[in-house]
Amino acid sequence: MLRLTLWITATVAVMILLFSYRTSLGATVAAPPAAIVMTPAGPEPLGSGPPADTRTIDGPVIRTRYGPVQVEVRLQDRTIVDVRALHWPDADDRDAEISAAALPRLRSAVLAAQSANVDTVSGATYTSDGYRRSLQGALDQAHVG
């Protein structure tokens, strides 16, 4: 009887430990997508380059609890045509995982809203705040609302 009680107690303890063990959410942490730079194969025809009123502005580096956040915004006239992160929290695997999930969502939200007035990504409050503040700084530099 004592053996059976010990065996059941040990089994329950092992099951509790197994179910309380937190595994990673993914085997690989993807970094936020980098900008793709293409070079022309030959000379560009006249008028095929970017319009003269397209400009790229770096926002200020915003220090957050988990690391610096900085964005670069590309504007055509007063329209945001692209925004990408230059710096993001990535000090450890968890920070990199959060940034990899949050940055594409923030980019999509900014392009849809055409402003820095976008919602916080759940689970990435500090990154979202730094992203918005850096973007707003770049928009202020460009004199765009």
Side-chain angles (χ1 to χ4, degrees), residues 24-123:
S24 65
L25 298 176
T28 305
V29 175
I36 298 172
V37 179
M38 297 179 65
T39 56
E44 289 186 24
L46 290 175
S48 68
D53 54 357
T54 299
R55 56 200 166 140
T56 302
I57 299 150
D58 292 351
V61 175
I62 305 298
R63 306 263 177 234
T64 72
R65 178 177 177 179
Y66 296 102
V69 178
Q70 183 183 26
V71 301
E72 170 187 271
V73 63
R74 196 173 70 185
L75 300 164
Q76 186 172 16
D77 292 322
R78 300 177 62 83
T79 303
I80 299 172
V81 293
D82 196 17
V83 61
R84 71 182 187 105
L86 299 175
H87 301 285
W88 56 86
D90 62 352
D92 59 31
D93 289 344
R94 183 70 178 139
D95 291 345
E97 182 178 1
I98 290 169
S99 294
L103 294 176
R105 292 176 63 188
L106 288 165
R107 179 182 179 275
S108 295
V110 166
L111 292 175
Q114 287 295 300
S115 76
N117 188 19
V118 295
D119 290 335
T120 298
V121 174
S122 179

